[in-house]
Amino acid sequence: MAGNSFGKLFNLTTYGESHGPALGGVIDGCPPGIELDTDAIQNELNRRKPGQSAIVTQRKEPDSVKFYSGIFEGVTTGTPIGFVIENTNQKSHDYSHIKDSYRPSHADYTYDKKYGIRDYRGGGRSSARETACRVVAGAIAKQVLKDVEIYAYVSGVGTMKLDKPYSELDLTKIESNIVRCPDETMASKMEQYIKEVRSKGDTVGGIISCVVKNVPVGLGEPVFDKLHAELGKAMLSINAVKGFEYGSGFHGSTMYGSEHNDAFNTDGSTKTNYSGGIQGGISNGMDIYFNVAFKPVATLIQKYETIDKEGKVVQMQGKGRHDPCVVPRAVPIVEAMAALVLADFYLINKIY
Amino acid sequence: MAGNSFGKLFNLTTYGESHGPALGGVIDGCPPGIELDTDAIQNELNRRKPGQSAIVTQRKEPDSVKFYSGIFEGVTTGTPIGFVIENTNQKSHDYSHIKDSYRPSHADYTYDKKYGIRDYRGGGRSSARETACRVVAGAIAKQVLKDVEIYAYVSGVGTMKLDKPYSELDLTKIESNIVRCPDETMASKMEQYIKEVRSKGDTVGGIISCVVKNVPVGLGEPVFDKLHAELGKAMLSINAVKGFEYGSGFHGSTMYGSEHNDAFNTDGSTKTNYSGGIQGGISNGMDIYFNVAFKPVATLIQKYETIDKEGKVVQMQGKGRHDPCVVPRAVPIVEAMAALVLADFYLINKIY
Amino acid sequence: MAGNSFGKLFNLTTYGESHGPALGGVIDGCPPGIELDTDAIQNELNRRKPGQSAIVTQRKEPDSVKFYSGIFEGVTTGTPIGFVIENTNQKSHDYSHIKDSYRPSHADYTYDKKYGIRDYRGGGRSSARETACRVVAGAIAKQVLKDVEIYAYVSGVGTMKLDKPYSELDLTKIESNIVRCPDETMASKMEQYIKEVRSKGDTVGGIISCVVKNVPVGLGEPVFDKLHAELGKAMLSINAVKGFEYGSGFHGSTMYGSEHNDAFNTDGSTKTNYSGGIQGGISNGMDIYFNVAFKPVATLIQKYETIDKEGKVVQMQGKGRHDPCVVPRAVPIVEAMAALVLADFYLINKIY
Amino acid sequence: MAGNSFGKLFNLTTYGESHGPALGGVIDGCPPGIELDTDAIQNELNRRKPGQSAIVTQRKEPDSVKFYSGIFEGVTTGTPIGFVIENTNQKSHDYSHIKDSYRPSHADYTYDKKYGIRDYRGGGRSSARETACRVVAGAIAKQVLKDVEIYAYVSGVGTMKLDKPYSELDLTKIESNIVRCPDETMASKMEQYIKEVRSKGDTVGGIISCVVKNVPVGLGEPVFDKLHAELGKAMLSINAVKGFEYGSGFHGSTMYGSEHNDAFNTDGSTKTNYSGGIQGGISNGMDIYFNVAFKPVATLIQKYETIDKEGKVVQMQGKGRHDPCVVPRAVPIVEAMAALVLADFYLINKIY
């Protein structure tokens, strides 16, 4: 009810502030009998962690996950999986400058108005650090899903857009560069661009595209819990996301029905796939693909004016870790949320 | 779990197929003591109903709602509100042509694969007729929300786009024309365009924009149930929707942080509103605005080839009611879903 | 959230007041492909309806159910099953005597304090008439459960107790008498006793015992949603119920562990069954059995004093339909609630 | 869905096996602004922990709770409260004797059949050690409830029954003796009795009575989520519980309506309280009282025969910590579960 749980059957609850002792979560509903590949889980955490490359400020943050329950001799038991990620650098920072002020386009103001209190250190609960817990759960969800393949990649940074459809890309190359764009020419342009943005202390937004292959037919529940509606909610719940479209998306609104309808092949597959692998809210076995738009993050390394709790104007200087473009780091988060949605429907689908 | 309920505290469950005896719903969690304006409810139903104007095939379908419970002497009692909308023209049609065939880009194939059975008459459960129940509940949710104002309008039909921001539009003119576009010049162009599409037996998509004013600060729950995440899910659950963006949306992904950050005024309002009235998933009191993309509907009045249940190619001729562009009719549905989301968070917000 | 839904996967939502136009419900999550036996459903409704016999005031109330959705050509489709039971005698009664007064041990006072308004006619939402909807859903749940057999019977009326264990009773005789006690000698005593109570305008409580046979191993979820915890909640949610015990029950609290432990046979069954077919909250394949205690209903045909809304003492005269002992009529309700709980866990069990 | 969460608005999810690295939980929905009394929380944990007195085998188990989130400078923030209790003596025991065998009346058999795998060390997830997490959450719930007073005490051990109504007891004396019976004469008899049971390596059941005072009017939701139905579920979810009754309980089934009806005083209170403080599922402001029956725990320090996974008969010797009567230790668990139920309804009640 208070918004910290996701999923019905494969359910994740997360807790933790960015500078408290630890973050963590509970997965309730993971099927028993899965031999967990813990290296794969840690690998996903590593993909998400800050300071991975030259385009961002370095930071040592191990983000190692400890499992407390639900796994016995390496195998899931069907009981809840409790896990914890300790915050190792929680102590020394000085947050007095943001304690009583509201940074623009952060959640400072809204948390204070809603709750009357907030842990202001590093953004507290509103920090994207919370997504580390999603990545852990998503890595387990991927193992539940077995043959389903999820590929997210950066298709836009600022005004730079990769306009090729995913079918023309080599999706095995996503991890070959630090911006996670499978087109190498575009990747190096994006990288250069992000460095320029960084040098100004500024930030920039971007777009992540995601393709899901080998999806069984029948995932998704009409009428409110359509597969794409849950995917949309999942993506929009990621920090900084402003938009979601699947299949033909916004462009589809400009098309004629005679163009857009996906004619059947005799095996039930379709000749085109404007539907994005989903019809009537239910997967049809074709590839699912969607785009997620990220705004530029609000933390700039620049001077700015804002207000304090009393409404007085105050001068601020952005400091701390500078992430000029979080979009590459958000790639594993998009994959994790997709995996959570699909695992949930995958389990529901076993019932009926 | 099976997807026919929406909302946690202000909860709507719907049922019904387009050609069964009736559709209906139950609203559980409506606060007591609200003097219901039933004319306002019926008015919303009338806005949604097919055959309202010259741009679509005429049809007489009263869509009148009967309330069975939860209201005593015109006032809500806090007990569940059960309601029914009878299907008056359920009898005579001949659906033998679609009984054993899968129409392209409909839900015929996926329902059959998921459930092994479907009520094929008029699309059954996958018909947009289900949204009539949402409109009833949304009209009640609006009355719960009191001062909150929700304005949806058509901002795109096919390639025709209304590029003005909502602040430059006269939102009182939305209902003054049959396409529900508040810019009259654009409205008449859109109308003309839809007539042309209709004459070809084709369909076209479009975009609905929505603005919500007078939203209290504090609606929305971190971290998964962010206000915009629930709005996104709500919109994506409407038939034919392919995309959702709020605030700066997809365009925001091309911006710099230094442009996008919304500087505060001393009263806590912001000078710009790229955030779209939501920060950290919680409303900040500024206007909420978002766009919803609709694909063209799949039912064409044209000949086409498709497959039957055995995978054989069959020739089909589209017939029945022809709705070349459902986007104007979807305006009250978008408003209803927005109202349901907001009413739910409005009630949650009373707790803490 | 507002308490009108029951079950997670096999979910029932009910609505309706005893003297509104209709009661009804929605079953969301019924699996597709079930050929519904509608006679069996009507039969359960008939078992519940008032005025079945000489021991209560006669009343003509057909209680016939109309299905609006979710069933196509007699078979469930997996979409929600909406149903309605009309209130045929809603009009003419005079309720002015209870409009402004609080009858003792009814819900008049608590509803008024909680909601500030109530439909006072015939008890409104708090009337046991609501259980008719449960009986409809329970009859469908029984058909989902197939081989599972549920037998409820009256084992106590006032101080009269049937002390034989269920294994010594002929459960096929439950319906052979109007008190639904399978022991004919005790049944006729109970019948005589109820007639005496009736002649005084008084009421009396009783006990229903229930046995469930052929339960698959593995139903129930640790740790909060134990099978017996959900059964207990289900039974306690029935009007007038004051207690629930299963297996050895309250008597078990007086036993030694060396007596109470159920030793295994080599096939996994147990030599004794003090556990009541459930260990650690999960069914073990043995018979489930439990008792449900009903208080005497509050409506007497006697004069009494009570208070009105202003706290003034008023004289009242009980009138209306007189049901000296509702326990026999509650037998199908107990069975229905047991079926709802079991069907829910039965579906969950298919996932893992 | 998988049963490890409790409560809607004040929601607790627990995880952990008795011999894994740690147990823990997440409370989602605790209101912000509560200055937590952590000593009070630790005190409840101490009341629950094993080895408190001469009547049981001594054991050093600190059961200290660490909070990871949701509390800032000693005050709740409205974000989820994550907590952990480490298992300090998880290592050295030898569980090979129960690894492949099913102990009678434990959950060994049902877990294995349901999940195909179990952590057999110390009962794993089915261990009552899980209730430590409930006690932590319940202690916080008590602080949410403020003036509400919850008193649980032992009213029966084996055949020994304390037959006085709670109104004749001095509830401040509950903690004055190790059996937690407020009647000192009965307490010393019970203590002597438990010692005798212990000397035989046997166990015995008992009854806990609970009284809740200062309950606001209006808690509880009709029709399924009646206050007493949720209390019943909560109690039945505690390990070893076989029965629940409230107000007049099972005895009420033997009464006449003319005796049982609770006549009103002019202030809305009632002259008697057979209703147990709840009418129509909603609290009426009178004391809530109920009884909970516990079976004798299954772990005996005796020789016995049972079966292994292959169905072969094996000889076993009970060993390990011997708790001849867990009922006194369950007193804080009963209180905790009552607090969780009441806090949940208390928050719901703020909405409407």
Side-chain angles (χ1 to χ4, degrees):
Chain A
M1 189 62 40
N4 298 286
S5 282
F6 189 84
K8 290 166 196 154
L9 291 178
F10 191 93
N11 178 263
L12 169 66
T13 301
T14 71
Y15 63 85
E17 281 76 45
S18 66
H19 285 67
L23 299 100
V26 187
I27 301 164
D28 196 15
C30 183
I34 296 175
E35 283 191 49
L36 276 191
D37 179 346
T38 50
D39 289 347
I41 298 167
Q42 188 61 49
N43 184 49
E44 294 297 316
L45 269 179
N46 295 346
R47 290 175 75 205
R48 193 212 71 93
K49 81 172 175 187
Q52 298 170 53
S53 71
I55 55 173
V56 296
T57 302
Q58 295 299 309
R59 180 187 184 184
K60 280 193 185 143
E61 186 186 19
D63 272 359
S64 71
V65 61
K66 277 193 283 188
F67 290 102
Y68 279 170
S69 65
I71 303 165
F72 187 56
E73 300 175 345
V75 180
T76 61
T77 61
T79 62
I81 299 173
F83 62 88
V84 169
I85 301 168
E86 288 182 11
N87 287 323
T88 52
N89 59 346
Q90 57 184 100
K91 54 227 140 175
S92 54
H93 296 274
D94 176 14
Y95 290 100
S96 55
H97 64 299
I98 58 170
K99 181 178 175 183
D100 297 317
S101 299
Y102 299 135
R103 292 166 298 165
S105 290
H106 279 83
D108 301 348
Y109 177 80
T110 51
Y111 268 67
D112 246 23
K113 292 294 168 188
K114 184 178 180 76
Y115 298 112
I117 180 176
R118 76 181 208 276
D119 180 348
Y120 47 77
R121 300 168 303 169
R125 183 66 180 154
S126 71
S127 165
R129 183 151 174 68
E130 182 268 341
T131 57
C133 299
R134 307 184 183 202
V135 167
V136 170
I140 295 175
K142 282 184 182 179
Q143 298 183 37
V144 170
L145 289 167
K146 290 174 194 155
D147 298 334
V148 176
E149 295 169 21
I150 304 173
Y151 302 96
Y153 59 92
V154 174
S155 62
V157 170
T159 51
M160 294 191 168
K161 292 272 157 62
L162 179 65
D163 276 331
K164 295 180 188 167
Y166 72 88
S167 54
E168 295 175 17
L169 299 171
D170 180 353
L171 299 177
T172 65
K173 295 216 170 140
I174 294 169
E175 292 298 308
S176 67
N177 60 71
I178 59 175
V179 287
R180 295 199 167 107
C181 174
D183 181 292
E184 292 182 3
T185 313
M186 180 55 83
S188 57
K189 282 187 200 168
M190 287 172 169
E191 187 180 336
Q192 187 55 38
Y193 182 52
I194 294 172
K195 283 179 182 165
E196 285 164 28
V197 171
R198 187 190 173 200
S199 68
K200 296 175 198 155
D202 210 338
T203 60
V204 72
I207 291 177
I208 292 178
S209 296
C210 187
V211 188
V212 191
K213 294 173 173 285
N214 292 337
V215 183
V217 182
L219 303 193
E221 298 297 318
V223 293
F224 293 109
D225 299 351
K226 293 184 164 91
L227 176 49
H228 55 268
E230 293 289 356
L231 283 171
K233 177 182 165 179
M235 298 306 145
L236 288 156
S237 79
I238 300 172
N239 306 49
V241 172
K242 304 297 283 187
F244 170 85
E245 59 178 1
Y246 84 103
S248 63
F250 274 84
H251 177 68
S253 73
T254 67
M255 294 172 74
Y256 294 110
S258 53
E259 296 172 274
H260 195 282
N261 279 0
D262 294 316
F264 279 105
N265 295 311
T266 52
D267 63 356
S269 67
T270 58
K271 296 179 203 296
T272 51
N273 184 17
Y274 293 110
S275 298
I278 303 170
Q279 280 165 341
I282 301 169
S283 63
N284 68 353
M286 301 295 289
D287 291 348
I288 293 173
Y289 60 100
F290 57 84
N291 295 320
V292 186
F294 290 76
K295 68 158 194 170
V297 290
T299 306
L300 315 180
I301 306 300
Q302 299 181 344
K303 285 190 184 170
Y304 59 95
E305 270 189 356
T306 192
I307 59 167
D308 66 12
K309 288 193 177 189
E310 274 70 47
K312 285 187 196 144
V313 174
V314 290
Q315 307 297 323
M316 302 275 281
Q317 165 67 52
K319 54 184 177 178
R321 185 159 48 78
H322 181 215
D323 224 336
C325 184
V326 295
V327 183
R329 280 181 57 208
V331 163
I333 307 170
V334 164
E335 291 182 3
M337 293 307 298
L340 288 174
V341 170
L342 290 163
D344 207 37
F345 283 122
Y346 179 81
L347 295 180
I348 295 175
N349 226 36
K350 288 194 176 180
I351 301 168
Y352 300 112
Chain B
M1 188 60 39
N4 298 286
S5 281
F6 188 84
K8 290 166 195 157
L9 292 177
F10 192 94
N11 178 262
L12 169 67
T13 302
T14 71
Y15 63 84
E17 281 77 45
S18 67
H19 285 67
L23 299 99
V26 187
I27 301 165
D28 196 16
C30 185
I34 296 174
E35 283 192 49
L36 277 190
D37 179 344
T38 50
D39 288 348
I41 299 167
Q42 188 60 48
N43 183 49
E44 294 297 316
L45 270 179
N46 294 346
R47 290 174 76 205
R48 193 211 71 91
K49 81 171 177 188
Q52 298 170 54
S53 71
I55 55 173
V56 296
T57 304
Q58 296 298 308
R59 182 187 183 183
K60 278 189 189 147
E61 185 186 19
D63 271 356
S64 70
V65 60
K66 275 193 282 188
F67 291 101
Y68 279 170
S69 65
I71 303 164
F72 186 57
E73 299 175 347
V75 179
T76 62
T77 61
T79 62
I81 300 172
F83 63 87
V84 169
I85 303 167
E86 288 182 11
N87 288 321
T88 52
N89 60 346
Q90 58 184 98
K91 55 231 139 172
S92 53
H93 296 276
D94 176 14
Y95 289 99
S96 56
H97 63 300
I98 59 169
K99 181 179 174 182
D100 297 316
S101 300
Y102 300 135
R103 293 166 298 165
S105 291
H106 279 83
D108 300 348
Y109 176 80
T110 50
Y111 268 67
D112 246 23
K113 292 294 167 186
K114 184 178 181 75
Y115 298 111
I117 180 176
R118 77 181 207 276
D119 180 349
Y120 48 77
R121 298 167 303 167
R125 183 65 180 154
S126 71
S127 165
R129 183 151 173 70
E130 182 267 342
T131 58
C133 298
R134 306 183 184 203
V135 167
V136 170
I140 295 174
K142 281 184 183 179
Q143 298 182 38
V144 170
L145 289 166
K146 288 171 193 155
D147 298 334
V148 176
E149 295 170 19
I150 304 173
Y151 302 95
Y153 59 91
V154 175
S155 62
V157 170
T159 52
M160 293 192 171
K161 292 271 155 63
L162 180 65
D163 277 330
K164 295 179 189 168
Y166 72 87
S167 54
E168 295 175 17
L169 299 171
D170 179 355
L171 299 176
T172 66
K173 295 217 170 140
I174 294 169
E175 293 298 309
S176 69
N177 60 72
I178 58 174
V179 287
R180 295 198 168 108
C181 174
D183 181 291
E184 291 182 4
T185 313
M186 179 56 83
S188 58
K189 282 187 198 168
M190 287 173 169
E191 186 180 338
Q192 187 56 36
Y193 181 52
I194 294 172
K195 283 180 182 164
E196 285 165 28
V197 171
R198 186 188 174 202
S199 69
K200 296 175 197 155
D202 211 338
T203 61
V204 71
I207 292 177
I208 291 178
S209 296
C210 186
V211 188
V212 191
K213 294 171 172 286
N214 292 337
V215 182
V217 183
L219 303 194
E221 298 296 318
V223 294
F224 293 108
D225 299 349
K226 292 184 164 88
L227 176 49
H228 55 268
E230 293 289 355
L231 283 171
K233 177 182 166 179
M235 298 307 145
L236 287 156
S237 79
I238 300 171
N239 306 47
V241 171
K242 304 296 282 188
F244 170 85
E245 59 178 1
Y246 84 103
S248 63
F250 273 86
H251 177 68
S253 73
T254 68
M255 293 172 75
Y256 293 111
S258 54
E259 296 172 274
H260 194 282
N261 279 1
D262 293 317
F264 280 105
N265 296 311
T266 52
D267 63 355
S269 67
T270 58
K271 296 179 203 295
T272 52
N273 184 16
Y274 292 111
S275 298
I278 302 171
Q279 281 165 341
I282 300 169
S283 63
N284 68 353
M286 302 294 289
D287 291 349
I288 293 172
Y289 61 98
F290 57 84
N291 294 321
V292 186
F294 290 76
K295 68 158 193 170
V297 291
T299 306
L300 315 179
I301 307 300
Q302 299 181 345
K303 285 192 183 169
Y304 60 95
E305 270 190 354
T306 193
I307 59 167
D308 66 12
K309 288 191 177 190
E310 273 70 46
K312 285 188 196 146
V313 175
V314 290
Q315 307 297 323
M316 303 275 280
Q317 166 66 54
K319 54 186 177 177
R321 184 160 48 79
H322 181 215
D323 225 337
C325 183
V326 294
V327 182
R329 279 182 57 209
V331 163
I333 307 170
V334 164
E335 291 183 3
M337 293 308 297
L340 289 174
V341 169
L342 290 163
D344 207 36
F345 284 120
Y346 179 82
L347 295 180
I348 293 175
N349 226 36
K350 288 194 176 181
I351 301 168
Y352 301 113
Chain C
M1 188 60 40
N4 298 287
S5 282
F6 189 84
K8 289 166 197 155
L9 292 177
F10 192 93
N11 178 262
L12 169 67
T13 302
T14 72
Y15 63 86
E17 281 77 44
S18 67
H19 285 66
L23 299 100
V26 187
I27 301 164
D28 195 16
C30 185
I34 297 174
E35 283 191 49
L36 276 191
D37 179 345
T38 50
D39 287 349
I41 299 167
Q42 188 60 51
N43 184 48
E44 294 297 316
L45 270 179
N46 294 347
R47 289 175 77 205
R48 193 211 72 92
K49 81 171 177 187
Q52 299 170 53
S53 71
I55 56 174
V56 295
T57 303
Q58 297 299 308
R59 181 187 184 183
K60 279 191 186 146
E61 186 187 19
D63 272 356
S64 71
V65 60
K66 277 193 281 189
F67 291 102
Y68 279 170
S69 64
I71 304 164
F72 187 58
E73 298 175 348
V75 179
T76 61
T77 61
T79 62
I81 300 172
F83 63 87
V84 169
I85 302 168
E86 288 182 10
N87 287 322
T88 52
N89 59 345
Q90 57 183 101
K91 55 227 138 174
S92 54
H93 296 275
D94 177 13
Y95 290 98
S96 55
H97 63 300
I98 59 169
K99 180 178 175 182
D100 297 317
S101 300
Y102 300 136
R103 293 165 297 164
S105 291
H106 279 83
D108 300 347
Y109 177 79
T110 51
Y111 268 66
D112 245 22
K113 292 294 169 188
K114 183 177 181 76
Y115 299 111
I117 180 177
R118 76 181 208 276
D119 180 347
Y120 48 77
R121 299 167 303 169
R125 182 67 179 153
S126 71
S127 164
R129 182 150 174 69
E130 182 268 342
T131 58
C133 298
R134 306 183 184 203
V135 166
V136 170
I140 295 174
K142 282 183 181 179
Q143 298 183 37
V144 169
L145 289 166
K146 288 172 193 156
D147 298 335
V148 176
E149 295 170 19
I150 304 173
Y151 302 95
Y153 59 91
V154 174
S155 61
V157 170
T159 52
M160 295 191 170
K161 293 271 156 63
L162 179 65
D163 277 329
K164 294 180 189 168
Y166 72 87
S167 54
E168 295 175 18
L169 299 171
D170 179 354
L171 299 176
T172 66
K173 295 217 170 141
I174 295 169
E175 293 297 309
S176 68
N177 59 72
I178 58 174
V179 287
R180 297 201 166 105
C181 174
D183 181 291
E184 291 182 4
T185 314
M186 179 55 82
S188 57
K189 283 186 197 168
M190 286 173 169
E191 186 179 339
Q192 187 56 36
Y193 181 52
I194 294 171
K195 283 180 182 165
E196 286 164 28
V197 171
R198 186 190 173 199
S199 69
K200 296 173 197 156
D202 212 337
T203 60
V204 72
I207 292 178
I208 292 178
S209 296
C210 186
V211 188
V212 190
K213 294 171 172 286
N214 293 337
V215 183
V217 182
L219 303 194
E221 298 296 316
V223 294
F224 293 109
D225 299 349
K226 292 184 164 90
L227 176 49
H228 55 268
E230 293 289 356
L231 283 170
K233 177 182 166 180
M235 299 306 145
L236 287 156
S237 78
I238 300 171
N239 306 48
V241 171
K242 304 296 282 187
F244 170 85
E245 59 179 2
Y246 83 103
S248 63
F250 274 85
H251 177 68
S253 74
T254 68
M255 293 171 75
Y256 294 110
S258 54
E259 295 172 274
H260 194 282
N261 280 359
D262 293 318
F264 280 105
N265 296 311
T266 52
D267 63 355
S269 68
T270 58
K271 296 180 202 297
T272 52
N273 183 17
Y274 292 110
S275 298
I278 302 170
Q279 280 165 340
I282 301 168
S283 63
N284 68 352
M286 302 294 290
D287 291 349
I288 293 171
Y289 61 98
F290 56 85
N291 294 320
V292 186
F294 290 76
K295 68 158 193 169
V297 291
T299 306
L300 315 180
I301 306 301
Q302 298 182 344
K303 284 190 184 170
Y304 61 94
E305 271 189 354
T306 192
I307 59 167
D308 66 12
K309 288 192 178 189
E310 273 69 47
K312 285 186 196 147
V313 175
V314 291
Q315 307 296 323
M316 302 275 280
Q317 166 66 53
K319 54 185 177 178
R321 185 160 47 80
H322 182 215
D323 224 335
C325 184
V326 293
V327 183
R329 278 182 57 210
V331 162
I333 308 170
V334 164
E335 292 182 3
M337 292 308 296
L340 288 175
V341 169
L342 291 163
D344 207 36
F345 284 121
Y346 179 82
L347 294 181
I348 293 175
N349 226 35
K350 289 194 174 180
I351 301 169
Y352 301 113
Chain D
M1 189 61 39
N4 297 286
S5 282
F6 189 83
K8 289 166 197 157
L9 292 177
F10 192 93
N11 178 263
L12 169 67
T13 301
T14 72
Y15 63 85
E17 281 77 44
S18 66
H19 285 66
L23 300 98
V26 187
I27 301 165
D28 197 15
C30 184
I34 296 175
E35 283 191 48
L36 276 191
D37 180 345
T38 50
D39 289 348
I41 298 167
Q42 188 60 50
N43 184 48
E44 294 297 317
L45 270 179
N46 294 347
R47 291 175 76 205
R48 193 212 71 93
K49 82 171 176 186
Q52 299 170 54
S53 71
I55 54 172
V56 295
T57 303
Q58 295 299 308
R59 180 188 185 183
K60 278 192 186 142
E61 186 185 19
D63 272 356
S64 71
V65 62
K66 277 193 283 188
F67 290 102
Y68 280 171
S69 65
I71 303 164
F72 186 58
E73 299 175 346
V75 180
T76 61
T77 61
T79 62
I81 299 172
F83 63 88
V84 168
I85 302 168
E86 288 182 10
N87 287 323
T88 52
N89 60 347
Q90 58 185 97
K91 55 227 141 177
S92 54
H93 295 275
D94 176 14
Y95 289 99
S96 56
H97 64 299
I98 59 170
K99 181 178 174 183
D100 297 316
S101 299
Y102 299 135
R103 291 166 299 164
S105 291
H106 279 83
D108 301 347
Y109 176 80
T110 50
Y111 268 66
D112 246 22
K113 292 294 168 189
K114 184 177 181 73
Y115 298 112
I117 180 177
R118 76 181 209 276
D119 180 348
Y120 47 78
R121 300 167 304 168
R125 183 68 180 154
S126 71
S127 164
R129 183 149 174 69
E130 182 268 340
T131 58
C133 298
R134 307 184 184 202
V135 166
V136 170
I140 295 175
K142 281 183 182 180
Q143 297 182 38
V144 170
L145 289 165
K146 289 173 194 155
D147 298 336
V148 176
E149 295 169 19
I150 304 173
Y151 302 96
Y153 59 91
V154 174
S155 63
V157 169
T159 52
M160 294 191 170
K161 292 273 156 60
L162 179 65
D163 277 330
K164 295 179 189 168
Y166 72 88
S167 54
E168 295 175 17
L169 299 171
D170 180 353
L171 299 176
T172 66
K173 295 218 171 139
I174 294 170
E175 292 298 307
S176 67
N177 60 73
I178 58 175
V179 288
R180 295 199 167 105
C181 174
D183 181 291
E184 292 183 3
T185 314
M186 179 54 84
S188 56
K189 282 188 198 167
M190 287 173 169
E191 186 181 338
Q192 187 56 37
Y193 181 52
I194 294 173
K195 283 179 183 166
E196 286 165 26
V197 171
R198 186 188 173 201
S199 68
K200 295 175 198 155
D202 210 338
T203 60
V204 72
I207 291 177
I208 292 178
S209 296
C210 186
V211 188
V212 190
K213 292 172 172 287
N214 292 336
V215 183
V217 182
L219 304 193
E221 298 297 317
V223 295
F224 293 109
D225 299 349
K226 292 184 164 93
L227 176 49
H228 55 268
E230 294 288 356
L231 283 170
K233 177 183 166 180
M235 298 306 146
L236 288 155
S237 77
I238 300 172
N239 305 48
V241 171
K242 305 296 283 188
F244 170 85
E245 59 179 1
Y246 84 104
S248 63
F250 274 84
H251 176 70
S253 73
T254 67
M255 293 172 74
Y256 294 110
S258 54
E259 295 172 274
H260 194 282
N261 279 0
D262 294 316
F264 279 105
N265 296 311
T266 52
D267 63 356
S269 67
T270 59
K271 296 179 203 296
T272 51
N273 184 17
Y274 293 110
S275 298
I278 302 170
Q279 280 165 342
I282 300 169
S283 64
N284 68 352
M286 301 295 289
D287 291 349
I288 292 172
Y289 61 99
F290 56 85
N291 295 320
V292 186
F294 290 76
K295 68 158 194 171
V297 291
T299 306
L300 314 180
I301 307 300
Q302 297 182 345
K303 285 191 183 170
Y304 59 95
E305 270 189 353
T306 192
I307 59 167
D308 66 12
K309 289 193 176 189
E310 274 69 47
K312 285 187 196 146
V313 175
V314 290
Q315 307 297 322
M316 302 276 280
Q317 165 67 51
K319 55 184 176 177
R321 184 159 50 78
H322 181 215
D323 224 337
C325 183
V326 293
V327 184
R329 279 181 56 208
V331 163
I333 307 170
V334 164
E335 291 183 3
M337 293 307 298
L340 288 174
V341 170
L342 290 163
D344 207 36
F345 284 121
Y346 179 81
L347 294 181
I348 294 175
N349 226 35
K350 288 193 175 180
I351 301 168
Y352 301 113

